[in-house]
Amino acid sequence: MSLFRPACAAFARRLCTAQPHLEHTSQSPLLSLVLKHRALQPRCRPFTTTRRYLAQVVDTPSTPTVPHVPKRTVRIGPLPEGRVNDGTIRRIFGAGMSATDGNNVLRILHHRRTAGSLADYGVDNLGKQYTHVDRAMAIKGLEWLRERYPIDEARAAEDWAEKEANRIQYELWLADPETESKYKDPARAYREQMEKEEEERHQQERDERKIGILHVGKSQFERNIEEKRRERLDEITRVAEEKEQKERDMEAKLESGEWVRTPTGTQLMKPGQTTYVDIFGREQVSRRKEEAEKYQKLSNTEFSSPEEMLAKTTLAQRLYPMSAFVLFTVILSYGFAHFYLPPSPSYRLFPDVSPTLATIGALLLANGVVAIAWRAMPLWPFMTRYFMHVPGYPRAIQAVLNVFSHVQYEHFLANMMVLCLVGPVCHDLVGRGTFLGTYMSAGAVGTLVSLYWANLGRGNICAHSVGASAAIWGISALYLLLTDQETLKIPFVKDQEVSFWPKMLLVAFIAMEIRTVFRKKSQNDHASHFGGMLVGISTAGYIRATGALGRKEGLPEGVQANAGVDSKTVDVGAIAKEGIKELKDSLTKNSK
């Protein structure tokens, strides 16, 4: 038996490798190999490291006999994905096989694969009630299972072979308990050894005699050494027992058929899960899908239908709070635009950066932080409650916060690209106060128009609205109605310019938006776009009518002016180069 267990693993792997040609004999090949090896070798005393059995010492008759071993009950669990449909059963076994018998045959075969007994039993002897299932049909079912639920059959066969070796060894000892082959695992053997040494030590202490001031026996130093050694071995034994218990738990889960081993075989996972290697090189089962489902459930509202959502609040409760909040936001924005004065360079955080670049950079940073926050799943309940506008169950603060919110990276990049194109030229034209006032008012009014359209018009009451589109439409309309620039320089092409008609461009944008609403099904919040345009047009009209822009003197030069571009020309490339240059100079100066 000392040579049996290494051969067991190789024998099991060889049986699993020849999968399509499983043979069945009247006697188990594993039992035949054990009995043959035992007949050739003298009896010895091996140890095993897996399952442990408790044997009772009884009086052994002169002629040992193999005791009666009760028949083991095997519990076969369901398939990982549940019952297989009738069409699949007919495709595997043919029309003559019923759906119930076909599912039971697949369950038996899959249990043998996961338990490792396929290497010993093969595909034959499925049971008395399945004698009509011939070998060819069983092999077809086995091939289907291997394709649908791939597992490491060789590893399972090795574990099965080791368990069978332990069982047979234990039965042989029951037949002849006077031999030295008493079944022990390392933990029990060590524990018995420690108990024996402890008893000897106590006996030695009792036999110690004092001779003057000397003591016969071990010194205190030697006792401390033994105590440390005993504690260390106790810890090793505890770890070994925990590992054995973990392996037993894993085997029990594998037998149920609901779990499979990970690629390295160190853990279990359910079919469909994935694994990854952490920074310490350990294999971990990915639970991102389960975490996403958990936080998605926490983020959803408690309503099961639009009618239930509308029944929770009245029309006045949905419209009035946000209307009052948006009105307050517009008044604050007007006050900021009217009374804002550029600060002295000594009071600025980055005095070497133009106000235009600082304002656009702050907006990009705010939108970027919120976009990154959407990637953290624990924040989903908070983000959906305050940074996402739902017309059927609104909160007033959503009118402003959803303007900085972008869930998808494509949406974020598209809006920020337009902001980088239109923002600098509009900021240079009207200054920081009017620019930020229009930006915030357009976003808030756009959200309010979307709320009214969903509750009083034909909008979707359950839609989720996010993004800075309304605010960007507002500053775009403001710039196109106020600018006097007539030419547009083509970026990356030297000395190439085209005519620029800003008011006609705004009309084209509005026409395109109207066409999209009536001729194309789109997921864009067009009501908020029109609300943002309305704010930009109203601000431009007010400035034209009152001459507020002309009365503001001392506006700092913008990025385009610093780049030396003609005031009648729009040069996006020069604006970008000047912005990068200012940022580099500021970082270099601060580092010094």
Side-chain angles (χ1 to χ4, degrees), residues 284-348:
Q284 303 289 346
V285 178
S286 176
R287 293 179 174 81
R288 181 174 178 82
K289 182 178 180 181
E290 290 81 357
E291 291 293 318
E293 293 177 353
K294 170 187 173 182
Y295 289 110
Q296 181 68 35
K297 185 176 181 181
L298 293 176
S299 302
N300 294 336
T301 60
E302 66 274 15
F303 311 115
S304 58
S305 63
E307 292 75 15
E308 184 179 351
M309 179 185 293
L310 294 177
K312 187 71 175 179
T313 57
T314 63
L315 182 63
Q317 290 174 337
R318 292 192 294 271
L319 298 182
Y320 291 162
M322 184 174 288
S323 300
F325 182 80
V326 170
L327 178 61
F328 180 70
T329 302
V330 171
I331 294 174
L332 284 181
S333 300
Y334 172 79
F336 180 79
H338 189 75
F339 296 104
Y340 175 80
L341 293 176
S344 173
S346 59
Y347 290 97
R348 296 184 59 205

Side-chain angles (χ1 to χ4, degrees), residues 200-242:
E200 291 177 356
R201 186 174 65 83
H202 288 312
Q203 183 64 31
Q204 186 176 2
E205 290 177 354
R206 288 194 295 269
D207 295 341
E208 288 182 355
R209 301 185 304 274
K210 289 186 178 180
I211 305 177
I213 61 174
L214 301 177
H215 292 268
V216 177
K218 296 181 179 179
S219 65
Q220 186 63 37
F221 177 76
E222 292 175 334
R223 294 175 183 174
N224 292 339
I225 294 293
E226 289 183 355
E227 183 66 24
K228 294 295 183 182
R229 175 176 174 270
R230 187 177 297 105
E231 292 177 358
R232 184 173 67 254
L233 293 178
D234 285 339
E235 180 65 19
I236 295 174
T237 304
R238 184 187 65 80
V239 173
E241 290 178 347
E242 290 179 355

Side-chain angles (χ1 to χ4, degrees), residues 300-540:
N300 294 336
T301 60
E302 66 274 15
F303 311 115
S304 58
S305 63
E307 292 75 15
E308 184 179 351
M309 179 185 293
L310 294 177
K312 187 71 175 179
T313 57
T314 63
L315 182 63
Q317 290 174 337
R318 292 192 294 271
L319 298 182
Y320 291 162
M322 184 174 288
S323 300
F325 182 80
V326 170
L327 178 61
F328 180 70
T329 302
V330 171
I331 294 174
L332 284 181
S333 300
Y334 172 79
F336 180 79
H338 189 75
F339 296 104
Y340 175 80
L341 293 176
S344 173
S346 59
Y347 290 97
R348 296 184 59 205
L349 187 61
F350 300 100
D352 298 325
V353 177
S354 65
T356 299
L357 183 60
T359 304
I360 302 301
L363 291 176
L364 291 175
L365 180 62
N367 283 273
V369 169
V370 177
I372 294 174
W374 276 108
R375 307 273 76 81
M377 290 186 289
L379 294 178
W380 285 359
F382 174 79
M383 300 296 291
T384 54
R385 188 173 293 110
Y386 298 107
F387 285 81
M388 179 178 286
H389 173 229
V390 182
Y393 198 73
R395 292 178 174 86
I397 194 65
Q398 295 172 354
V400 173
L401 295 184
N402 88 95
V403 178
F404 297 91
S405 180
H406 297 84
V407 180
Q408 298 175 342
Y409 283 129
E410 298 84 356
H411 189 202
F412 170 75
L413 293 176
N415 280 347
M416 295 304 102
M417 182 181 66
V418 178
L419 177 61
C420 291
L421 292 175
V422 182
V425 292
C426 183
H427 192 286
D428 289 350
L429 180 64
V430 299
R432 175 181 287 178
T434 305
F435 178 84
L436 287 179
T438 304
Y439 187 91
M440 298 302 298
S441 298
V445 172
T447 304
L448 184 64
V449 172
S450 176
L451 175 68
Y452 273 79
W453 175 249
N455 284 273
L456 302 178
R458 300 173 56 186
N460 187 357
I461 201 71
C462 298
H464 297 72
S465 177
V466 292
S469 302
I472 293 174
W473 274 116
I475 61 174
S476 299
L478 175 65
Y479 166 70
L480 293 175
L481 291 176
L482 292 181
T483 182
D484 295 328
Q485 293 169 324
E486 300 174 349
T487 57
L488 176 65
K489 189 171 182 180
I490 302 176
F492 310 111
V493 180
K494 187 176 181 181
D495 299 331
Q496 291 293 328
E497 298 179 351
V498 295
S499 299
F500 179 55
W501 298 285
K503 296 178 179 59
M504 294 300 299
L505 184 60
L506 177 61
V507 173
F509 283 154
I510 297 175
M512 183 179 62
E513 191 74 16
I514 295 174
R515 180 180 179 275
T516 305
V517 172
F518 290 99
R519 293 193 178 183
K520 182 180 179 181
K521 292 184 178 180
S522 175
Q523 295 183 350
N524 295 333
D525 189 359
H526 297 285
S528 66
H529 295 177
F530 287 117
M533 290 182 193
L534 179 62
V535 173
I537 295 172
S538 301
T539 305

